[in-house]
């Protein structure tokens, strides 16, 4: 695609997105008007902590559309306006998880790591995101959904030069279910230098987890890496089923909660908070186009005041019932003990059985199903009796 065509497309879609944002904000209230009690990334804020809540929101880095970055050859794009919103939400989710994982990382380091400049020094910029997307058959200029965003984050961290140095493992629960044995195997595989663990025993008719608990229930080996769990979900057909509301609020209240990617088709938002009643969501909207950071003579990104300021803001309030049912939840746990605590908390809430008519968001199972294992069906099917011709075909095909 010629660069002029790519930029014309960006200009048209920018105007379209501004119109959508203006329309969506007509009926939106400020967070204090919608509710006085909020859950922000697992922490509770009431009216008395309104100032603290706002400071927390400001501290969450905002990654938005950018223009005038180096051309993505051969696609011709110098701006991601109109198509890169889910990738920007993926950046915000990853940045938030890194702030928990490595609190010592300075804002200037983030500004470099996520700068929209190609190269190993900036692995999490838009060029790196798009390169990871190519591995999932998603091209620059195409809109990414929450599920694709999850796998882009996973692939990007795994392939980047920083991946090993970050000591961070990312698992995508693509089936809406977290299998504890799979998680433990992945984490302990890292400890053993990528050598696979022995496969679990086949499921048999006499298997009982009370007498034969899987390794994930009894193991005590600590992990050297932390874990980011990404769970893409669809919580309804045309909109979010109201029966999920209670557990969505519960998810935002969990200590390990790291944000949610969602929004409406072609208008993704990174959500970090929800009011206690579940009516309003707080998030960072990437649909503002700003200039990409400049570079010095040696090619290094210029960390200017303008660039710093451009990564703060973007906060919006959105009604829960207005967003699309396709979304992705994220949870960060620092080691095995926190993972087991997450499992217990999830089973008591968002992944448990709600007796009040609600619906669980996802499942947590001790063991992944073994579809090729021994199901203990020996003797359930009669064999060929004496005198019968085993080669006789008893079926008539029409």
């Amino acid at each position: 695609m010629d660069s002029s065509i790519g930029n014309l497309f960006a200009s048209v879609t920018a105007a379209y997105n501004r119109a959508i944002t203006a329309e969506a904000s007509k009926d939106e209230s400020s967070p204090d008007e919608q509710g006085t009690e909020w859950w922000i990334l697992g922490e509770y804020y009431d009216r008395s902590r309104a100032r603290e809540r706002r400071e927390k929101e400001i501290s969450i880095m905002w990654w938005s559309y950018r223009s005038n970055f180096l051309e993505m050859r051969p696609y011709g794009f110098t701006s991601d306006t109109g198509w890169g919103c889910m990738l920007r939400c993926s950046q915000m989710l990853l940045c938030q998880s890194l702030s928990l994982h490595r609190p010592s990382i300075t804002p200037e380091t983030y500004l470099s790591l996520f700068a929209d400049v190609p190269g190993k020094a900036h692995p999490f910029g838009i060029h790196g995101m798009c390169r990871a997307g190519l591995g999932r058959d998603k091209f620059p200029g195409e809109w990414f959904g929450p599920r694709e965003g999850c796998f882009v984050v996973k692939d990007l961290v795994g392939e980047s030069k920083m991946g090993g140095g970050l000591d961070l493992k990312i698992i995508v629960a693509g089936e809406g279910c977290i299998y504890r044995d799979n998680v433990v195997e992945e984490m302990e595989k890292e400890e053993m230098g990528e050598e696979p663990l022995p496969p679990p025993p086949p499921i048999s008719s006499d298997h009982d987890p009370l007498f034969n608990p899987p390794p994930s229930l009894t193991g005590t080996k600590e992990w050297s890496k932390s874990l980011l769990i990404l769970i893409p979900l669809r919580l309804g057909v045309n909109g979010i089923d109201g029966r999920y509301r209670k557990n969505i609020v519960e998810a935002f209240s969990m200590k390990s909660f790291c944000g949610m990617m969602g929004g409406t088709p072609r208008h993704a938002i990174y959500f970090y908070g929800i009011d206690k009643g579940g009516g309003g969501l707080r998030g960072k909207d990437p649909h503002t186009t700003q200039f990409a950071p400049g570079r010095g003579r040696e090619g290094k990104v210029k960390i200017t005041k303008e660039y710093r300021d451009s990564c703060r803001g973007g906060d919006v309030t959105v009604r829960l019932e207005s967003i699309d049912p396709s979304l992705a939840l994220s949870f960060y746990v620092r080691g095995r003990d926190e993972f087991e605590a997450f499992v217990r908390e999830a089973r008591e809430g968002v992944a448990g059985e709600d007796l009040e008519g609600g619906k669980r968001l996802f499942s947590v199972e001790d063991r992944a199903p073994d579809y090729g294992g021994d199901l203990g069906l020996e003797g359930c099917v009669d064999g060929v009796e004496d005198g019968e011709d085993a080669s006789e075909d008893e079926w008539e095909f029409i």
Side-chain angles (χ1 to χ4, degrees):
M1 180 186 295
D2 184 79
S3 61
S4 60
I5 298 177
N7 291 326
L8 176 62
F9 173 79
S11 300
V12 173
T13 50
Y16 171 76
N17 279 307
R18 284 195 298 269
I20 289 180
T21 303
E23 183 66 25
S25 63
K26 286 182 179 179
D27 298 325
E28 291 177 359
S29 305
S30 69
D32 290 319
E33 290 173 341
Q34 288 211 357
T36 59
E37 298 174 283
W38 290 82
W39 287 102
I40 307 294
L41 294 172
E43 188 170 356
Y44 173 73
Y45 295 84
D46 59 13
R47 181 182 292 274
S48 68
R49 301 186 65 198
R51 182 187 293 264
E52 294 176 65
R53 189 201 70 229
R54 186 58 190 146
E55 291 174 352
K56 176 66 176 181
E57 292 178 337
I58 294 174
S59 72
I60 302 170
M61 298 195 75
W62 175 43
W63 302 104
S64 71
Y65 288 150
R66 297 282 176 175
S67 63
N68 293 347
F69 50 66
L70 287 179
E71 180 181 349
M72 292 182 180
R73 299 179 180 177
Y75 306 100
F77 288 107
T78 58
S79 173
D80 64 312
T81 300
W83 55 269
C85 54
M86 184 58 71
L87 295 179
R88 297 303 183 179
C89 292
S90 301
Q91 284 181 315
M92 287 186 268
L93 187 154
L94 176 58
C95 188
Q96 178 58 29
S97 67
L98 292 180
S99 71
L100 299 174
H101 183 60
R102 292 286 180 86
S104 61
I105 296 180
T106 63
E108 286 72 19
T109 301
Y110 287 121
L111 292 173
S112 178
L113 290 174
F114 288 83
D116 292 330
V117 177
K120 295 181 180 179
H122 319 286
F124 307 136
I126 192 65
H127 296 81
M129 287 276 172
C130 289
R131 185 172 60 253
L134 290 173
R136 299 283 172 177
D137 294 327
K138 299 292 289 186
F139 293 86
E142 295 184 354
W143 193 80
F144 290 61
R147 183 181 180 87
E148 289 87 359
C150 290
F151 282 102
V152 163
V153 171
K154 179 180 185 297
D155 295 345
L156 192 61
V157 172
E159 295 174 2
S160 72
K161 186 177 181 180
M162 286 192 65
L166 287 175
D167 293 330
L168 178 65
K169 183 76 174 180
I170 298 178
I171 290 179
V172 179
E175 300 177 4
C177 183
I178 300 171
Y179 296 110
R180 295 175 70 192
D181 61 334
N182 284 352
V183 172
V184 172
E185 180 178 350
E186 282 295 316
M187 299 304 288
E188 294 189 350
K189 181 169 63 177
E190 299 287 337
E191 309 296 325
M192 300 176 64
E194 301 296 333
E195 294 181 9
L197 295 176
I203 300 174
S204 62
S205 57
D206 63 347
H207 176 75
D208 189 332
L210 293 177
F211 294 98
N212 300 291
S216 57
L217 289 178
T218 59
T220 59
K221 187 175 182 179
E222 191 49 74
W223 303 336
S224 63
K225 290 192 175 185
S226 296
L227 174 64
L228 178 62
I229 304 170
L230 305 178
I231 313 175
L233 300 168
R234 186 170 182 86
L235 304 180
V237 181
N238 297 319
I240 292 182
D241 189 322
R243 290 173 292 179
Y244 289 110
R245 180 190 293 264
K246 176 179 177 292
N247 279 331
I248 291 176
V249 175
E250 185 77 17
F252 276 75
S253 73
M254 295 176 66
K255 294 180 179 180
S256 55
F257 184 67
C258 203
M260 180 179 86
M261 297 190 295
T264 57
R266 301 184 183 278
H267 195 96
I269 297 174
Y270 169 69
F271 295 107
Y272 56 77
I274 192 169
D275 71 60
K276 188 177 179 181
L281 293 163
R282 288 287 285 169
K284 300 275 185 179
D285 189 342
H287 295 86
T288 297
T289 303
Q290 306 182 85
F291 287 115
R295 297 191 298 168
R297 293 181 177 180
E298 297 180 359
K300 293 183 179 181
V301 173
K302 294 181 179 179
I303 309 297
T304 62
K305 182 180 184 301
E306 181 182 10
Y307 182 32
R308 290 192 188 95
D309 292 345
S310 72
C311 295
R312 302 296 181 186
D315 301 281
V316 294
T317 305
V318 179
R319 298 184 306 276
L320 176 63
E321 61 268 21
S322 70
I323 70 171
D324 192 81
S326 293
L327 48 86
L329 302 174
S330 64
F331 301 91
Y332 170 82
V333 293
R334 191 185 298 276
R336 185 178 194 130
D337 290 342
E338 287 193 14
F339 173 68
E340 296 299 340
F342 160 77
V343 168
R344 290 192 297 270
E345 187 178 10
R347 283 179 165 172
E348 293 172 359
V350 296
E353 298 295 337
D354 192 341
L355 300 179
E356 299 179 2
K359 299 185 71 173
R360 62 183 179 182
L361 300 182
F362 56 89
S363 302
V364 179
E365 301 294 339
D366 288 329
R367 188 186 296 280
D370 181 6
Y371 297 108
D374 174 18
L375 299 180
L377 299 180
E378 299 86 353
C380 295
V381 180
D382 293 335
V384 179
E385 296 183 2
D386 296 339
E388 290 185 347
D389 184 358
S391 63
E392 182 179 354
D393 189 355
E394 298 181 355
W395 301 92
E396 180 179 356
F397 293 92
I398 298 178

